Amino acid sequence: MRIRFLIHNAYGIGGTITTTFNLAQALARQHDVEIVSVLRARELPSFTLDPRVRLRPLVDLRHEKDHPLHQRPAKVFPVAEYRYRQYSELTDQRIAEYLRTTDADVIIGTRPGLNVHLALQAPEHTVRLGQEHLTLDNHPPRLRNAMRRAYPRLDALTTVTEADAAAYRRKMRLAGVRVEALPNSVPDPVLPTADGTGKVIIAAGRLVRIKRYDLLIEAFAAVAAAHPDWQLRIYGKGEDHDRLRRRIEDLGLSNNAFLMGPAAPMEAEWVKGSIGAAASDFEPFGMTIVEAMRCGLPVVSTDCPHGPAEIIKDGVDGRLVPVGDRDAMAAALLGLVRDDGLRRRMGLAASENAERFTPGPLVERFERIAGAALDAKRSGRRPARTPGGLNRVLISGGFAARDAAYVAAGSVLRTVRKGRR
């Protein structure tokens, strides 16, 4: 198959970029694969890309940032999408031209705004496969309404968890669109897995409030008090850096807890530790959880929506604790710190259980989803419907009406506020 990924910016750092590169490289062993980056702001991508995967930018901001069309707002990319302000008439034009001329058998959109472009502008003979890397409920009502208008023209939609796939089937009007879960993949480790002897707890991700590194630091204070030879290392960058630094200093943890900055790839850092940690209030999937487990670390995570519970088997390869519960997080970390045998057994189980997220099984699942849609295209058959019947239609209609009411109420409120100025 000729497979093309349409991504916001392949030259940055982030979970969507990581998983897109992972899947593209695994598919390239048997297929013709290209990643199409809407934006480019640097010479080379941050992650090394297999030479079998081509990388094509559409708008090079190093030279086109001041292009007249880039100063005008986008008309196709949804206004309510988080990245809207980075899109323009120029991106509209370049995306449309690419989709009009592509020879792809399958095109994959990697965020809602690009899925809308794909649904509205990709040629009929091409399989239009949308991906959801966040969750349906994470999107504002106005964006969900735009998705409801465009997404029925997709051939398939994948989510990173079964829970979110169920939400899409229940809440969206997507008759004829097959909705399936396709978790993110993590390549097989290159380095030997951790042996459980390193006295280091490791966390990684963007330093933003929803990740709750403050709670993790506070929980770790109990570990450091009882076991001062242990460290906490947090990898990543973000707006919360200075606040977290102050919290570390206020708790007297400057010799035990460290903000390490970003690291890509993370494998060489994971294997230096013995325990992974994630304290998020919300996690669409949990890519870093899988990365840590693949490297032989049991992970202590909050049981937040949606991903951790679909990755960690509580008490077998890690621990799940209530969201926002600092004491439960501290107790779970201490339980692993104090028991060398338990830590090693869980680490071994983590490495084995996370094999289901290796590229092989997920490539097979992707090929099944895309292949079935492509066969349906070529034979002229309608794609298989997601089961649910009339009941599903009525339920999804209720959610659509609710979102429409929220949008209408928001518009009225904005009008009233303008009138008071």
Side-chain angles (χ1 to χ4, degrees):
M1 287 186 286
R2 294 184 294 269
I3 301 170
R4 311 293 181 251
F5 290 85
L6 185 61
I7 191 169
H8 169 67
N9 177 11
Y11 296 82
I13 295 177
T16 299
I17 301 167
T18 302
T19 191
T20 297
F21 276 38
N22 288 345
L23 181 57
Q25 290 172 148
L27 287 167
R29 296 167 188 165
Q30 298 183 30
H31 302 282
D32 176 356
V33 181
E34 180 178 64
I35 296 175
V36 180
S37 181
V38 176
L39 301 177
R40 177 183 189 176
R42 54 183 295 173
E43 178 64 24
L44 297 173
S46 298
F47 299 109
T48 301
L49 187 62
D50 189 311
R52 291 174 293 186
V53 179
R54 298 186 303 281
L55 179 58
R56 177 197 297 203
L58 298 182
V59 175
D60 193 332
L61 296 176
R62 297 174 302 168
H63 314 299
E64 299 182 293
K65 185 177 180 180
D66 297 323
H67 191 292
L69 290 180
H70 199 51
Q71 309 308 309
R72 301 176 187 173
K75 297 179 179 178
V76 179
F77 197 89
V79 173
E81 228 268 35
Y82 171 69
R83 296 286 186 183
Y84 175 73
R85 292 186 181 277
Q86 294 176 260
Y87 285 73
S88 64
E89 280 195 25
L90 182 62
T91 59
D92 278 356
Q93 183 185 89
R94 298 282 172 83
I95 295 170
E97 177 66 13
Y98 170 76
L99 293 174
R100 185 180 67 81
T101 59
T102 184
D103 65 347
D105 296 312
V106 180
I107 306 179
I108 302 134
T110 54
R111 61 179 309 112
L114 298 180
N115 292 340
V116 168
H117 270 280
L118 191 61
L120 299 178
Q121 297 174 324
E124 286 295 326
H125 62 80
T126 300
V127 169
R128 294 159 292 192
L129 196 160
Q131 287 183 338
E132 175 60 83
H133 286 281
L134 292 175
T135 68
L136 177 62
D137 291 340
N138 186 249
H139 301 311
R142 190 177 182 188
L143 178 57
R144 290 197 293 262
N145 283 343
M147 292 158 64
R148 284 190 180 92
R149 291 190 293 270
Y151 275 27
R153 297 188 61 180
L154 295 172
D155 297 296
L157 177 72
T158 64
T159 63
V160 292
T161 62
E162 294 288 354
D164 199 39
Y168 264 96
R169 297 184 194 114
R170 187 173 70 255
K171 298 180 179 181
M172 297 289 279
R173 294 170 173 172
L174 299 178
V177 180
R178 196 69 190 182
V179 181
E180 295 200 33
L182 182 71
N184 294 333
S185 67
V186 174
D188 291 320
V190 175
L191 301 172
T193 56
D195 62 8
T197 61
K199 296 183 177 182
V200 181
I201 298 167
I202 297 180
R206 292 179 300 120
L207 305 185
V208 293
R209 287 182 183 258
I210 200 168
K211 297 292 187 179
R212 292 307 309 272
Y213 291 115
D214 57 336
L215 183 142
L216 177 58
I217 291 166
E218 291 165 5
F220 175 73
V223 176
H227 301 272
D229 51 342
W230 276 73
Q231 293 183 357
L232 171 65
R233 299 178 186 174
I234 299 173
Y235 291 85
K237 64 179 180 179
E239 62 197 40
D240 246 17
H241 180 277
D242 292 346
R243 186 174 74 93
L244 296 174
R245 167 56 58 198
R246 289 193 296 271
R247 192 68 186 125
I248 289 170
E249 293 171 353
D250 291 345
L251 292 171
L253 296 174
S254 297
N255 293 325
N256 295 86
F258 305 95
L259 302 179
M260 305 294 292
M266 266 293 295
E267 182 181 340
E269 308 308 321
W270 288 121
V271 297
K272 296 173 185 176
S274 290
I275 302 170
S280 301
D281 287 339
F282 167 77
E283 197 68 68
F285 176 64
M287 190 74 165
T288 59
I289 295 175
V290 178
E291 289 178 352
M293 291 172 68
R294 290 295 292 132
C295 291
L297 275 64
V299 177
V300 177
S301 172
T302 48
D303 189 10
C304 63
H306 284 276
E310 292 190 19
I311 301 171
I312 296 170
K313 295 182 180 179
D314 188 30
V316 176
D317 52 23
R319 294 295 313 279
L320 293 169
V321 301
V323 174
D325 192 331
R326 178 193 61 199
D327 294 339
M329 173 69 69
L333 291 172
L334 279 166
L336 287 171
V337 165
R338 288 170 172 163
D339 193 330
D340 295 346
L342 176 65
R343 192 168 65 247
R344 292 188 182 112
R345 288 194 300 274
M346 278 195 174
L348 180 60
S351 178
E352 293 175 348
N353 292 345
E355 286 182 2
R356 68 191 189 275
F357 299 108
T358 57
L362 298 179
V363 162
E364 291 178 5
R365 192 183 301 190
F366 174 88
E367 289 174 330
R368 176 177 54 80
I369 295 168
L374 187 58
D375 288 345
K377 284 276 187 184
R378 290 173 173 171
S379 66
R381 292 183 285 108
R382 287 181 58 82
R385 289 175 176 267
T386 300
L390 178 61
N391 187 52
R392 184 176 64 83
V393 172
L394 294 174
I395 292 172
S396 65
F399 282 104
R402 184 183 303 175
D403 281 347
Y406 280 135
V407 172
S411 297
V412 170
L413 184 58
R414 285 192 295 273
T415 300
V416 170
R417 287 173 175 170
K418 287 181 180 178
R420 290 175 177 174
R421 291 175 184 170

